[in-house]
Amino acid sequence: MFSFLRKSKNPEQLFWHTDMHCHVVPGVDDGSPDVETSIELLERMASWGLTRIIATPHMTQDTFENTPDILDPALHELQMAAQKTLPSLDISRSCEHRVDDFFISQLEKGLILPFPGNYILVENSFAQEPWNIESILFDLKIKGYKPIMAHPERFLYYHRNRERYRHLHDAGNLFQINILSLSGHYGSSTKKVAEWMLSEGMVDFIGTDLHKHSHADAIEAYLCSRDYRRLRDSGIELMNDTAFPVDY
């Protein structure tokens, strides 16, 4: 009785096809712990219409001091496994680079793998804005990189000073927000800021930031919502499918 009230909807597909922020390289950070879980997550991502996955394992001092020697074998193992069930899915990697001393040291050693087109995903600390963030972003641009700031809507210290978003974006730094933020997964304040950033034209990319199945559940619930349909029909132009040249 009343079972029709509980009937789940089929989620709609995303209106972009490249995810450029997720944690599906197995066993290297707080994302997928093993290849089997990664394949399950990738199958769900493919069902949303994604055809290209640029994974972004954390590179963070003291917790995830990832280097190519750690990341590339894990990525290769995933690529080999995905060939069996997801042969048409393009899987590669860059990193989500926390702005810290380890990142600077890896950059100086030439051990950073940017996105195609020399885009680079950088993440602030959640505790406070790095005191030298503007000089670091400027130096990256001088070196030929194109910085993308990861999920700035999640940093509460910016919520109190929204003009800071405008200043950073006007300085030529691209913004990537999480679809999980739009879903309300991180709370109402983060959702409101993400929606405000969209309304102000300050969103260049949307990423899943997928770590685990509960994230996929939240994304699928959002893809069934009116909020998602409004986003889809808003006419927003994202760079997900245009920024990263395939033959790079």
Side-chain angles (χ1 to χ4, degrees):
M1 187 176 181
F2 303 126
S3 61
F4 67 91
L5 295 175
R6 299 192 301 271
K7 185 177 180 181
S8 61
K9 299 178 182 177
N10 291 323
E12 297 197 26
Q13 293 203 332
L14 294 167
F15 59 88
W16 61 92
H17 305 290
T18 299
D19 187 32
M20 41 69 70
H21 186 169
C22 61
H23 299 268
V24 295
V25 176
V28 298
D29 62 8
D30 59 346
S32 173
D34 50 52
V35 172
E36 292 73 21
T37 302
S38 294
I39 294 297
E40 292 170 359
L41 293 172
L42 288 170
E43 287 173 343
R44 296 181 75 171
M45 297 171 84
S47 76
W48 307 335
L50 292 169
T51 59
R52 188 182 188 191
I53 307 296
I54 307 177
T56 50
H58 287 291
M59 178 186 286
T60 311
Q61 187 170 327
D62 298 329
T63 52
F64 304 113
E65 294 191 345
N66 280 315
T67 62
D69 288 344
I70 296 170
L71 297 174
D72 290 340
L75 174 67
H76 181 70
E77 184 182 9
L78 177 60
Q79 289 170 328
M80 291 300 98
Q83 279 296 315
K84 299 176 183 178
T85 57
L86 298 162
S88 62
L89 191 63
D90 186 297
I91 306 168
S92 59
R93 77 150 185 95
S94 179
C95 276
E96 180 180 10
H97 307 89
R98 177 69 59 84
V99 178
D100 57 26
D101 290 342
F102 183 71
F103 166 59
I104 299 302
S105 70
Q106 295 298 101
L107 187 66
E108 291 173 349
K109 293 175 184 176
L111 295 177
I112 297 297
L113 179 64
F115 292 107
N118 246 22
Y119 293 87
I120 187 167
L121 187 67
V122 295
E123 180 192 38
N124 285 12
S125 164
F126 281 89
Q128 61 184 18
E129 183 183 59
W131 66 270
N132 56 346
I133 184 65
E134 291 195 67
S135 63
I136 288 175
L137 293 170
F138 180 77
D139 287 347
L140 286 172
K141 283 176 269 193
I142 291 297
K143 295 178 187 295
Y145 294 105
K146 303 167 189 174
I148 305 170
M149 297 187 72
H151 48 62
E153 79 282 4
R154 295 187 62 194
F155 303 124
L156 299 183
Y157 46 81
Y158 287 152
H159 292 195
R160 298 185 293 269
N161 180 15
R162 292 191 183 183
E163 282 304 308
R164 186 69 174 142
Y165 287 116
R166 202 178 311 278
H167 174 80
L168 289 165
H169 197 256
D170 287 349
N173 304 299
L174 301 169
F175 283 172
Q176 173 261 309
I177 66 170
N178 288 354
I179 194 169
L180 285 164
S181 299
L182 296 170
S183 78
H185 182 77
Y186 308 114
S188 60
S189 176
T190 298
K191 176 180 171 67
K192 288 177 182 176
V193 169
E195 291 174 341
W196 172 80
M197 292 174 70
L198 283 166
S199 71
E200 294 294 312
M202 289 191 285
V203 174
D204 304 291
F205 301 89
I206 298 178
T208 65
D209 203 357
L210 186 71
H211 286 65
K212 50 192 176 182
H213 281 295
S214 62
H215 285 171
D217 293 342
I219 290 169
E220 288 178 359
Y222 177 69
L223 292 178
C224 295
S225 71
R226 287 198 188 109
D227 280 351
Y228 173 67
R229 291 194 290 276
R230 278 194 291 268
L231 174 67
R232 181 199 62 197
D233 297 338
S234 67
I236 182 175
E237 295 184 7
L238 300 173
M239 296 175 64
N240 289 57
D241 295 332
T242 59
F244 314 120
V246 175
D247 297 318
Y248 179 69

